[in-house]
Structure formats: C-alpha cells, structure tokens
C-alpha cells in the first residue's frame, strides 16, 4: 500500500492531463495512472477547435504545440446532399483564437503529457491499468491497479475519472441509471497524396452516407485524416466500413481527390464518441468524471478535445474549492456540477442530440447550405455554432 496523495487521476489523455496540471499548479499532489505507454495513438479526427486553443494556452501547452508547426485551420467547408458546398471562416469569432489546428493525436497527446511531466508534484505511472476501487461507505479511498504481473493499491482523497469512452471509473463507481445512453461511432484513416487540400476542414453530408457524415481534415499539404461518423443507433442497419467506402469512392467532393491517394497502412480504425445528457451527474461523493468518461462531446460535430480540457480545468477548481473549506470534501460534487454547467455550453447537451437527429436529414442540410450560400451571415453562424458561440437550435429555423 502506497502513501495517500491528494488526487488520483485515471487516464493521461487531454482530460486527465488538464486536471493534473490544474491541481499541480494549486499545489496538490497528484498521481496520474495511464494504462498505455506514450506516445500512443487515439482514434480521432485530430481537429483542435479555436476554443480548445484558448484552454491549451491557459495550460501552457499551446506554445509547444505551435512550435511543431501543425496544419492551421481557417474555417470549414460543408457540403449538402444536393451537391452544394459553403465555406465558413473563423475570422469573425469572438475571443483571441480565430483559427484551429489539425494534429495527429499520437503527437498532440504526447505534447500534452509532456507539459504535465514538468510538475514535480505530478507522479505519472504509464503502463498501469486501474482495474478496481477501494470503497468505504460509498466513498472511494483508492484504486487497485496492475502493470504486467505487478499489482498495487494507491490511496487518495479524491478520484478523477479521465479514462475515456470505456471508463472503468464510470462503470464501477457510478450507478447503472447514470450510464451514457447515447453516442456515435467514427471510423478514420490517414491518407497521403490527397489533392486539393486547403486550410479548411471539410464536412460532407453526401446522400449515400446519410444519416452519417464524412470528413476530410488536412494534416498537411497533401495528407489528411479522412473519416465517417454516425449515431450508434443506426449501426445495426448501416455498416460503418461500407459508409467509409461509400464516402471515399462516391462522394462528389472527395472521390477524385482520393483517386491517387494512398491510405496509410493499418490506419483505418474506429472508436466511440460518447454523448452525455444534461441531466446525467458527473460526480458521486469524492469521484469526478471528465472528458469522454463523462460523456462530454459535442452532439453535432463529435468534438471532444475542448470538452476534455475544459472539464479537467473545472475538476481541478472544484477540488481546490472543496479542500479549502471545512467539510468541503462533501461538497466537491455539487461544486463540480455547477462549474462544468457554467463553463461548458451545457444547454447544448439538453438540445444537441435532439437538434442533431433533425438536422442530419436531407431537407435541413440542403436548406441550410443553400441559405448559407445566399446569406454570408448564415455561413458565419455555422462557424459560430461549431465553436459553441451560437446555439445549434438556430439551424432549425
Ligand atoms: C472517430 C473519432 C473522431 C473524433 N474527432 C474529433 C476531432 O476531430 N476533434 C475533437 O475535438 N474530438 C474528436 N473526437 C473526440 C475525442 O477524441 C475525445 O473526446 C477525446 O479524446 C477525449 O479526451 P479524454 O482525455 O476524455 O479521453 P482519451 O483521449 O480517450 O484518454 C483517455 C486515457 O485514459 C487511458 N485509460 C483508459 N482506461 C484506463 C484505465 N483503466 N487505467 C488507466 N488508464 C486508462 C487511455 O489509455 C487514454 O490514454 C473524435 C472521436 C472519435 C472516436
């Protein structure tokens, strides 16, 4: 049995590292347990949005990321089933960052973890998988972890579950009723030799893959992350690999440009995108969930990096508030629920999935893209909606 630390964080992705850095800066001792050894890949579109950049900057991670010269994104191109496409630019967005980035997660996540390594009060144990929990009257006092054949118990005052979509923390320490009910699934591959790439990310809603959609996120001048995503409830009737093939081979905006491109070997991989509801609790006693473990992703775009970073910051702030008031440990959950609801576009969790069901339909897609082509303010709204500065409901009227 090891000495007790202030906080154990399970998972060293963007959510876990953000929470760890936030806590370390406030002077707390953190143990960060990660089951993989970095650099490790993570299935993703690799798009880092303007709001995510603001959070990365606060955490001190943006300068090393920019130093690597990742592909800069100035806006998005979106196409509709009737073959029209509109461009929307980030230049008018509020806030300091009017651009996004695309950076493969293998590289990005390593830079994020590298930043956490700079703090002497964060102990990082890679290749340690958390398997179970030590509980006393419903409070989690520690975790049981394993590395190869070695087993160890670690103790802490608080536990942060940042262990992604298949979170063992959410599964084992939260009740069944609180589980993530809805979600999406995505499949992506890296391509080299792609023609016609720009500094725009592309989202294509072609007829043959509806109600799914496809994306082309450039990672360089002629390389891209290409993928498709669809709400999980459609996976029984739609085969995701077939959707991917249809997108790559049939989409009128994509097929010619990929004709001579080469898919990077073994890069075709899929992963879940958990969508949480507004009502779901992300805390129980002294346990807080962040990022995918909490179901914090955008229902429309599947974006989750920003939500993971931001919810990690909220978890650190909640733990500080709890520890600095007498008997505060009891209140940590309530404090965290309040913080994430005001920091994140939480109302979007209420309506996002509903709006998504409606708008990823031929009628709305055709109507919205046609309107945005005629009215520049609507194209601007599209970029604002994607960056959480305007409500998605606007797409329905
Ligand atoms: C196909 C696809 C495309 C996407 N595209 C985008 C995009 O373009 N932009 C965007 O912003 N988001 C995108 N997302 C969402 C984004 O990938 C996630 O929301 C984001 O990675 C969440 O970060 P996280 O830190 O919560 O979890 P993760 O990044 O999943 O990190 C969790 C970490 O926990 C570790 N772990 C898991 N279990 C244990 C355990 N028991 N013990 C110890 N460690 C453990 C894992 O190894 C991992 O390192 C996409 C997702 C998918 C599937």
């Amino acid at each position: 049995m090891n000495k007790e630390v202030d906080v154990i964080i399970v998972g060293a992705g963007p959510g876990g590292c953000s929470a760890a850095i936030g806590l370390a800066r406030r002077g707390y001792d953190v143990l960060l347990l990660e089951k993989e050894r970095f650099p490790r890949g993570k299935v993703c579109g690799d798009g880092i949005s303007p709001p995510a950049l603001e959070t990365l900057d606060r955490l001190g991670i943006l300068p090393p990321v920019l130093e690597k010269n990742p592909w800069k994104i100035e806006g998005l191109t979106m196409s509709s089933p009737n073959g029209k496409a509109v461009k929307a630019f980030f230049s008018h967005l509020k806030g300091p960052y009017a651009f996004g980035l695309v950076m493969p997660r293998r590289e990005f996540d390593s830079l994020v973890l590298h930043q956490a390594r700079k703090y002497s009060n964060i102990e990082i144990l890679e290749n340690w998988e958390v398997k179970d929990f030590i509980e006393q009257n419903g409070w989690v006092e520690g975790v049981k972890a394993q590395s190869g054949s070695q087993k160890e118990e670690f103790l802490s005052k608080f536990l942060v579950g940042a262990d992604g979509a298949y979170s063992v923390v959410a599964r084992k320490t939260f009740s069944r009723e609180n589980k993530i009910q809805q979600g999406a699934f995505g499949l992506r591959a890296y391509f080299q030799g792609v023609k016609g790439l720009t500094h725009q990310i592309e989202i294509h809603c072609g007829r043959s893959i509806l109600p799914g959609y496809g994306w082309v996120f450039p990672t360089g001048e002629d390389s891209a992350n290409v993928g498709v995503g669809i709400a999980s409830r459609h996976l029984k009737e739609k085969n995701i690999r077939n959707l991917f093939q249809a997108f790559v081979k049939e989409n009128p905006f994509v097929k010619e440009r990929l004709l001579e491109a080469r898919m990077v070997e073994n890069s075709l991989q899929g992963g879940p995108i958990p969508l949480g509801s507004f009502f779901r609790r992300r805390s129980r006693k002294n346990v807080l969930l962040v990022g995918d473990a909490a179901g914090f992703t955008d229902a429309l775009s599947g974006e989750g990096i920003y939500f993971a970073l931001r919810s990690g910051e909220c978890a650190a702030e909640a733990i500080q508030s709890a520890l600095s008031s007498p008997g505060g440990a009891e209140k940590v959950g309530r404090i965290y629920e309040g913080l994430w609801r005001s920091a994140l576009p939480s109302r979007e969790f209420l309506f996002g999935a509903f709006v998504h069901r409606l708008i990823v339909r031929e009628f709305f897609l055709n109507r919205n893209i046609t309107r945005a082509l005629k009215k520049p303010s609507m194209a601007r709204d599209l970029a604002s909606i994607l960056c959480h500065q305007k409500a998605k409901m606007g797409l329905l009227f």
Side-chain angles (χ1 to χ4, degrees):
M1 190 87 71
N2 287 267
K3 77 169 173 67
E4 185 185 61
V5 293
D6 294 316
V7 187
I8 288 178
I9 299 175
V10 187
C17 287
S18 164
I21 293 168
L23 286 160
R25 281 178 170 176
R26 291 172 167 89
Y28 299 112
D29 287 331
V30 177
L31 174 62
L32 185 54
L33 293 166
E34 166 56 51
K35 73 173 176 169
E36 305 279 338
R37 197 169 281 290
F38 277 52
R40 60 104 180 88
K42 156 80 180 87
V43 178
C44 189
D46 303 329
I48 305 170
S49 66
L53 295 190
E54 199 172 336
T55 316
L56 285 172
D57 206 6
R58 264 199 307 275
L59 293 166
I61 304 167
L62 190 59
V65 166
L66 292 178
E67 239 170 62
K68 297 280 171 189
N69 226 358
W71 198 249
K72 277 203 176 165
I73 298 302
E74 292 163 357
L76 76 147
T77 301
M78 190 165 173
S79 74
S80 52
N82 62 3
K84 294 187 174 160
V86 70
K87 281 186 193 302
F89 291 91
F90 294 150
S91 48
H92 70 281
L93 289 176
K94 287 180 231 136
Y97 298 100
F99 67 96
L101 301 171
V102 180
M103 186 184 232
R105 290 291 296 276
R106 196 178 165 79
E107 196 179 356
F108 173 72
D109 286 22
S110 292
L111 290 171
V112 176
L113 182 62
H114 184 72
Q115 185 66 17
R117 283 190 210 285
K118 292 184 180 162
Y119 293 85
S120 58
N121 49 346
I122 305 178
E123 186 182 357
I124 301 167
L125 294 184
E126 289 174 74
N127 208 15
W128 275 90
E129 181 171 358
V130 170
K131 299 276 195 184
D132 215 339
F133 303 89
I134 305 161
E135 290 195 46
Q136 184 77 30
N137 302 327
W139 291 79
V140 174
E141 297 187 333
V143 302
K144 298 178 182 184
Q146 190 167 350
S147 179
S149 58
Q150 205 183 338
K151 290 181 182 171
E152 205 62 77
E153 293 186 353
F154 300 99
L155 302 178
S156 67
K157 296 188 185 81
F158 297 94
L159 178 69
V160 174
D163 48 341
Y166 297 118
S167 169
V168 68
V169 181
R171 252 183 302 125
K172 290 204 171 177
T173 70
F174 280 68
S175 67
R176 277 176 68 82
E177 301 78 62
N178 206 33
K179 292 280 146 59
I180 294 167
Q181 306 290 341
Q182 50 188 352
F185 195 86
L187 189 66
R188 69 93 171 93
Y190 291 103
F191 283 82
Q192 302 278 4
V194 185
K195 290 194 181 129
L197 293 174
T198 63
H199 287 276
Q200 303 268 115
I201 52 169
E202 301 173 32
I203 296 174
H204 298 294
C205 304
R207 198 168 278 137
S208 62
I209 63 165
L210 280 180
Y213 68 93
W215 69 81
V216 177
F217 287 5
T219 52
E221 227 153 80
D222 67 349
S223 57
N225 177 320
V226 178
V228 294
I230 190 166
S232 303
R233 64 180 183 281
H234 295 294
L235 284 173
K236 277 199 187 116
E237 81 250 18
K238 301 263 181 190
N239 177 303
I240 189 101
R241 281 183 179 260
N242 293 345
L243 289 186
F244 183 83
Q245 288 305 327
F247 179 56
V248 167
K249 300 223 158 84
E250 294 167 23
N251 186 282
F253 293 94
V254 174
K255 61 179 181 182
E256 300 291 332
R257 295 158 60 206
L258 288 180
L259 214 53
E260 288 164 27
R262 183 182 64 83
M263 193 199 290
V264 173
E265 216 178 316
N266 299 326
S267 70
L268 183 63
Q269 291 171 342
I273 305 170
L275 308 177
S277 77
F278 179 80
F279 300 106
R280 202 181 146 231
R281 284 187 65 84
R282 272 75 175 182
S283 62
R284 198 188 68 87
K285 307 253 183 191
N286 59 340
V287 184
L288 309 179
L289 299 177
V290 304
D292 275 11
F296 284 140
T297 55
D298 185 273
L300 198 59
S301 65
E303 176 191 3
I305 296 171
Y306 163 64
F307 292 82
L309 293 166
R310 193 70 191 94
S311 57
E313 287 188 313
C314 293
E317 197 181 329
I319 289 170
Q320 181 190 30
S321 296
L323 280 173
S324 50
S325 63
E330 308 261 334
K331 295 184 225 145
V332 69
R334 196 152 38 85
I335 299 171
Y336 179 56
E337 300 290 338
L339 282 173
W340 76 254
R341 279 185 164 80
S342 60
L344 296 174
S346 56
R347 278 211 201 103
E348 300 289 293
F349 293 127
L350 201 55
F351 303 116
F354 165 70
V355 174
H356 180 266
R357 270 179 198 236
L358 286 177
I359 68 148
V360 187
R361 285 166 194 253
E362 200 162 340
F363 167 76
F364 276 111
L365 288 164
N366 288 341
R367 188 197 69 164
N368 284 336
I369 302 289
T370 306
R371 275 189 186 173
L373 276 167
K374 287 188 190 144
K375 227 175 150 191
S377 67
M378 280 215 54
R380 284 198 296 274
D381 284 354
L382 212 56
S384 303
I385 288 168
L386 197 80
C387 295
H388 323 298
Q389 294 188 355
K390 273 209 156 113
K392 295 183 179 66
M393 279 300 229
L395 293 169
L396 294 178
F397 305 106

